[in-house]
Amino acid sequence: MAKVITIATHKGGQTKTTTVKNLALSASEKGNTLMVDLDPQHNLSTWVGANLDKTIDDFFEGTPIENTITNIRPNLDIIGSSLKLEKISQNMIARNHREYIFKRGLSSVQDKYDYIFVDTSPSLGVLVQNAIMATDFLLIPLSQEAGGTEGLLDFVHLAEELIGEKPKFGLVATKVDKRKTVASKAIKADLAAFSLSEYLLNTSIPVDAHVDHANTAGMFLDEYDKNSEALHSYRELFDEVIKLI
């Protein structure tokens, strides 16, 4: 059965979608992998160049989840989304056991995959709650910029309240520029103050312009620049995360 890894945080600009895209690419080199776009902004669907027939929107409106899957390349599929998902999420608030809807649907396809990666919106809303309830491991990206840890402890506590126990989770430093150390030092100090230092993973993701260029082109990093420093780091991050699950 697939291991489910959700990439989530309440803050925007933390590279959630980029992390999902490149971790899923790394995972597809090891096994059958599925990406799920649970963000109404649907950047993941756009950045992988997906030609979608059905989306996760259709699942929440009653379509079997297996009928919403689109193949991207060997060993890599996606369940995409659209702006319509925002309206659907508003309507979900009135549904019973709303935070379990995605988990129940995903269970019907987990045996088909080795790894499932879930992208989320920068919020604490019902879609993020669905993703957290379905996950085996919660990965929280921390951009090495001012304010990167703002609200982090509250987000971890939300996940804990939803699950009923402390979730399995890790923090990954992203947008790391070794020439700029002030923000990184401040973030590490904040993590120490929050008693979260032990959750910071060893692997970090460097600033790499090729990442944004590949996203804009709707290409994967191994297609755009197979020698990308970030691509190597994402492969290392995948190996580290899987060992923690």
Side-chain angles (χ1 to χ4, degrees), residues 47-73:
W47 290 354
V48 300
N51 184 15
L52 303 174
D53 180 29
K54 298 287 187 180
T55 67
I56 195 69
D57 314 17
D58 297 290
F59 160 70
F60 284 119
E61 292 185 324
T63 298
I65 201 166
E66 55 267 28
N67 294 342
T68 68
I69 297 171
T70 299
N71 177 251
I72 300 295
R73 57 192 287 177

Side-chain angles (χ1 to χ4, degrees), residues 68-125:
T68 68
I69 297 171
T70 299
N71 177 251
I72 300 295
R73 57 192 287 177
N75 283 344
L76 187 56
D77 296 343
I78 188 173
I79 299 177
S81 71
S82 73
L83 285 172
K84 183 181 177 183
L85 186 58
E86 180 61 37
K87 180 64 175 179
I88 290 172
S89 70
Q90 296 172 13
N91 295 334
M92 285 170 62
I93 295 174
R95 295 172 65 173
N96 292 329
H97 307 294
R98 57 186 177 271
E99 67 271 23
Y100 291 97
I101 297 170
F102 177 60
K103 181 177 182 178
R104 290 197 298 265
L106 201 62
S107 65
S108 67
V109 298
Q110 278 188 260
D111 286 342
K112 299 178 181 179
Y113 295 97
D114 299 297
Y115 313 104
I116 297 175
F117 293 88
V118 184
D119 190 23
T120 58
S121 61
S123 75
L124 303 175

Side-chain angles (χ1 to χ4, degrees), residues 191-211:
L191 294 181
F194 299 154
S195 299
L196 293 176
S197 297
E198 66 182 286
Y199 298 99
L200 183 63
L201 302 184
N202 293 323
T203 308
S204 61
I205 308 300
V207 171
D208 185 341
H210 291 157
V211 173

Side-chain angles (χ1 to χ4, degrees), residues 8-82:
T9 179
H10 62 295
K11 288 179 65 65
Q14 302 297 300
T15 70
K16 290 184 301 298
T17 300
T18 295
T19 301
V20 171
K21 177 182 175 181
N22 290 292
L23 278 181
L25 170 63
S26 301
S28 71
E29 298 171 349
K30 306 287 182 69
N32 204 20
T33 303
L34 173 67
M35 299 178 288
V36 183
D37 192 346
L38 270 185
D39 185 351
Q41 296 182 48
H42 62 88
N43 286 330
L44 179 63
S45 304
T46 301
W47 290 354
V48 300
N51 184 15
L52 303 174
D53 180 29
K54 298 287 187 180
T55 67
I56 195 69
D57 314 17
D58 297 290
F59 160 70
F60 284 119
E61 292 185 324
T63 298
I65 201 166
E66 55 267 28
N67 294 342
T68 68
I69 297 171
T70 299
N71 177 251
I72 300 295
R73 57 192 287 177
N75 283 344
L76 187 56
D77 296 343
I78 188 173
I79 299 177
S81 71
S82 73

Side-chain angles (χ1 to χ4, degrees), residues 99-162:
E99 67 271 23
Y100 291 97
I101 297 170
F102 177 60
K103 181 177 182 178
R104 290 197 298 265
L106 201 62
S107 65
S108 67
V109 298
Q110 278 188 260
D111 286 342
K112 299 178 181 179
Y113 295 97
D114 299 297
Y115 313 104
I116 297 175
F117 293 88
V118 184
D119 190 23
T120 58
S121 61
S123 75
L124 303 175
V126 64
L127 292 173
V128 176
Q129 293 175 29
N130 267 260
I132 291 173
M133 294 304 299
T135 200
D136 294 306
F137 189 84
L138 180 62
L139 183 63
I140 304 173
L142 291 177
S143 175
Q144 302 299 282
E145 298 172 336
T149 59
E150 183 179 348
L152 173 61
L153 200 55
D154 290 334
F155 184 77
V156 173
H157 286 162
L158 169 68
E160 187 173 350
E161 290 174 7
L162 281 171

